[in-house]
Amino acid sequence: MKNVLVIHGPNLNMLGQREPETYGSDTLADINERLVTSGKSQSLAVTCLQSNSEAELVTRVQACAQDGTDFVIINPAAFTHSSIVLRDALLAVAMPFIEVHLSNVHARESFRQHSYFSDKAVGVICGLGAQGYELALQAAAKQLN
């Protein structure tokens, strides 16, 4: 089995409660459960991590270089627009990744329209809600198999 790490950035632990008109009604637990189940059917071992701490996310990405992670799906959330260090960590481990956003960031405030990740991502999925994660997992499976 190939190993996929799904990283959820800050405030995504509030899904289901936080601005459901923008982010949907699925909780993070709902999303993670679907990803793990879907991963098994695609011969992928899916591990999920959410943190509001940039340092914790960077440390986890750095661990990918030695822990058997084959692919990363990341929703950097607000770190999309500010975290050069998280971008650098992904580049340092040369880990292929897909960037996911629940909302269409291009239809939102101008400060949300710049990403420090998109130019290095295998692909970017935005505006499809929780389905974006599932599509990213399908794309990762295709790339890995």
Side-chain angles (χ1 to χ4, degrees):
M1 286 185 89
K2 298 290 186 171
N3 298 299
V4 175
L5 173 63
V6 179
I7 296 175
H8 307 284
N11 297 312
L12 293 174
N13 57 307
M14 300 296 292
L15 289 177
Q17 304 169 45
R18 175 186 179 216
E19 302 173 77
E21 66 284 355
T22 300
Y23 299 108
S25 58
D26 287 324
T27 66
L28 191 59
D30 296 335
I31 293 168
N32 288 342
E33 183 179 323
R34 285 196 303 268
L35 290 171
V36 169
T37 300
S38 179
K40 287 177 185 171
S41 71
Q42 299 176 71
S43 299
L44 300 173
V46 176
T47 303
C48 303
L49 169 70
Q50 187 281 326
S51 181
N52 296 318
S53 168
E54 186 177 44
E56 184 177 353
L57 296 178
V58 168
T59 298
R60 181 61 187 93
V61 167
Q62 289 175 351
C64 290
Q66 298 170 355
D67 71 1
T69 298
D70 298 297
F71 204 97
V72 172
I73 296 169
I74 183 169
N75 181 343
F79 290 144
T80 303
H81 325 293
S82 64
S83 186
I84 295 169
V85 68
L86 188 53
R87 169 198 168 101
D88 286 350
L90 285 162
L91 297 178
V93 298
M95 186 63 50
F97 67 94
I98 295 174
E99 178 181 355
V100 174
H101 298 282
L102 296 164
S103 67
N104 180 354
V105 294
H106 304 291
R108 298 189 62 197
E109 303 94 336
S110 61
F111 69 87
R112 294 189 195 274
Q113 296 174 13
H114 176 263
S115 169
Y116 280 104
F117 300 85
S118 297
D119 66 319
K120 298 299 181 183
V122 170
V124 178
I125 300 172
C126 69
L128 300 178
Q131 182 187 16
Y133 284 106
E134 295 169 42
L135 294 171
L137 188 63
Q138 290 172 15
K142 187 170 183 177
Q143 292 225 345
L144 291 170
N145 295 321

